């Protein structure tokens, strides 16, 4: 950036949901790697009464700021604020999902392939949801991570099946220091199983309630391999994006879905290895290949909206 250029003014609308905020911050992080930015984060209250008062305070503050070049949000609760910001202050808008409001109200929709069904202008289709992971971590070969989820509508939860896979992974990797965490969906019996493994010294278990924001990203940056239960699809994409060798703890799918197809695509490209394949072959894919969808979207945005010579619209 030359001395005469100003920082790119970016406004981010947050809805308080960690998954949505992770997507937004992941994209912003990728944009910051391309050019200097000034980032504002706005988190409106949930209460309608509080929101009215907050909006007036926000507008007083926003009126004194440079107009945004880019307005980003994920989650249905951010739609009205993205729209309001553009109408009042201008800027290019990006919604990181299939919007519930009219699509024409947003300049760019970044939609995971499992949510997108038709080709249309103003859409970028991504492999999984965006995240802030990059493959620059140390990835120690003697450190491993397990991410255990819980019941969801996409899989048939089978605790015994998962426990067997965990036992085999531990047995075959006796020199690896394993860090394990669960999710808020994890059933009590599964958490009890993990606690017993921790008490026996076989793993280091960190209940999700005791982890901080960014904890999983820190672990992925340091571990050489990561295993993720099949229900935790977003965690699979984060792991693959981190550059860690990634294994999939398998569960039976409740029915054919685009989520399943997305993971099968990762497997076909050598980015992800299912447990049964690893069990028979004995070697987890190296992690030399990885995703960086946030970077791809950031480059698209930069080239088309902020480059002096933008390429044709795709």
């Amino acid at each position: 950036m030359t001395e005469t250029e100003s920082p790119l003014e970016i406004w981010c609308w947050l809805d308080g949901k960690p998954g949505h905020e992770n997507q937004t911050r992941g994209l912003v992080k990728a944009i910051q790697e391309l050019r200097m930015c000034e980032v504002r984060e706005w988190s409106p209250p949930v209460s309608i009464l509080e929101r009215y008062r907050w909006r007036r305070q926000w507008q007083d503050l926003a009126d004194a700021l440079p107009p945004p070049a880019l307005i980003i949000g994920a989650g249905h609760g951010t739609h009205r604020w993205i729209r309001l910001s553009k109408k009042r202050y201008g800027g290019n808008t990006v919604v990181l999902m299939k919007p519930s409001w009219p699509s024409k109200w947003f300049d760019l929709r970044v939609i995971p392939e499992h949510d997108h069904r038709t080709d249309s202008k103003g859409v970028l289709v991504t492999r999984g949801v965006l995240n802030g992971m990059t493959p620059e971590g140390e990835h120690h070969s003697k450190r491993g991570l397990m991410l255990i989820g819980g019941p969801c509508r996409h899989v048939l939860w089978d605790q015994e099946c998962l426990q067997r896979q965990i036992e085999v992974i531990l047995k075959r990797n006796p020199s690896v220091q394993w860090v394990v965490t669960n999710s808020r969906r994890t059933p009590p019996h599964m958490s009890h199983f993990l606690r017993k493994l921790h008490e026996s010294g076989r793993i280091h278990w960190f209940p999700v309630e005791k982890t901080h924001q960014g904890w999983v990203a820190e672990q992925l940056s340091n571990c050489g391999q990561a295993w993720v239960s099949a229900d935790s699809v977003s965690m699979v994409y984060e792991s693959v994006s981190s550059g860690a060798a990634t294994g999939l703890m398998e569960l039976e799918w409740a029915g054919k879905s685009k989520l399943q197809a997305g993971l099968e695509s990762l497997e076909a490209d050598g980015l992800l290895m299912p447990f049964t394949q690893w069990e028979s072959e004995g070697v987890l894919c190296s992690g030399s290949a990885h995703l960086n969808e946030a970077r791809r979207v950031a480059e698209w945005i930069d080239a088309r909206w902020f480059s002096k010579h933008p390429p044709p619209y795709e």
Side-chain angles (χ1 to χ4, degrees):
M1 190 179 85
T2 66
E3 292 182 359
T4 58
E5 291 180 317
S6 301
L8 196 69
E9 185 79 11
I10 301 178
W11 291 6
C12 300
W13 286 102
L14 307 177
D15 66 357
K17 297 181 179 180
H20 292 160
E21 295 182 0
N22 187 40
Q23 294 177 53
T24 300
R25 289 175 174 142
L27 176 57
V28 170
K29 177 183 175 183
I31 296 172
Q32 288 176 310
E33 293 172 355
L34 300 177
R35 59 176 63 238
M36 185 179 296
C37 303
E38 186 69 49
V39 181
R40 325 277 179 182
E41 291 189 347
W42 312 108
S43 300
V46 176
S47 167
I48 295 178
L49 292 177
E50 292 180 8
R51 195 186 306 159
Y52 177 76
R53 185 184 307 110
W54 184 91
R55 173 177 169 173
R56 297 187 64 179
Q57 295 173 344
W58 166 73
Q59 287 182 176
D60 289 342
L61 178 60
D63 287 345
L65 295 174
L70 200 58
I71 306 165
I72 305 173
H76 298 295
T78 66
H79 289 7
R80 69 187 305 271
W81 299 102
I82 295 173
R83 179 70 173 161
L84 173 64
S85 299
K86 182 177 179 66
K87 289 182 67 176
R88 188 175 178 89
Y89 302 104
N92 296 289
T93 57
V94 182
V95 60
L96 305 181
M97 63 185 301
K98 183 178 180 180
S100 52
W101 285 32
S103 298
K104 64 182 180 181
W105 289 358
F106 304 98
D107 298 307
L108 177 64
R109 289 154 281 147
V110 179
I111 305 177
E113 56 190 354
H114 59 263
D115 282 339
H116 187 60
R117 293 176 175 81
T118 59
D119 293 330
S120 57
K121 187 176 181 180
V123 172
L124 274 183
V125 179
T126 59
R127 301 181 77 175
V129 298
L130 299 187
N131 60 75
M133 294 305 307
T134 57
E136 283 78 24
E138 297 183 9
H139 299 300
H140 300 285
S141 61
K142 298 300 182 182
R143 294 182 183 177
L145 177 67
M146 293 186 192
L147 302 173
I148 310 299
C152 72
R153 62 188 177 91
H154 300 292
V155 302
L156 302 179
W157 181 259
D158 187 337
Q159 181 168 319
E160 291 185 3
C161 177
L162 277 180
Q163 288 178 356
R164 188 189 80 80
Q165 293 177 65
I166 292 172
E167 291 284 4
V168 173
I169 294 168
L170 294 179
K171 184 177 180 180
R172 289 196 178 184
N173 296 273
S175 62
V176 174
Q177 295 181 346
W178 289 99
V179 171
V180 182
T181 192
N182 59 334
S183 82
R184 289 178 174 79
R185 293 181 288 109
T186 306
H189 289 306
M190 190 68 189
S191 296
H192 178 73
F193 170 75
L194 298 175
R195 185 181 300 109
K196 289 295 184 183
L197 289 178
H198 172 78
E199 292 171 353
S200 68
R202 300 178 66 191
I203 66 170
H204 299 283
W205 181 47
F206 293 84
V208 63
E209 297 83 6
K210 296 185 178 180
T211 61
H212 57 268
Q213 182 179 343
W215 183 90
V216 170
E218 293 171 4
Q219 301 302 317
L220 285 171
S221 294
N222 287 321
C223 72
Q225 61 176 301
W227 286 89
V228 189
S229 60
D231 60 280
S232 302
V233 175
S234 63
M235 290 293 99
V236 171
Y237 284 98
E238 285 202 33
S239 181
V240 170
S241 300
S242 76
T246 304
L248 182 71
M249 295 183 192
E250 295 173 285
L251 291 164
E252 184 179 351
W253 292 91
K256 192 69 176 178
S257 70
K258 290 197 173 184
L259 286 177
Q260 180 184 2
L263 296 188
E264 290 175 349
S265 175
L266 295 179
E267 295 169 16
D269 290 343
L271 295 164
L272 177 69
M273 180 174 282
F275 174 84
T276 50
Q277 180 184 349
W278 168 79
E279 189 177 25
S280 62
E281 297 182 5
V283 179
L284 191 62
C285 52
S286 66
S288 57
H290 59 271
L291 290 179
N292 197 338
E293 291 292 82
R295 176 76 179 200
R296 181 169 70 87
V297 175
E299 290 176 347
W300 190 101
I301 289 171
D302 187 75
R304 284 154 183 79
W305 288 340
F306 307 118
S307 171
K308 293 180 180 178
H309 305 288
Y313 198 101
E314 294 179 355

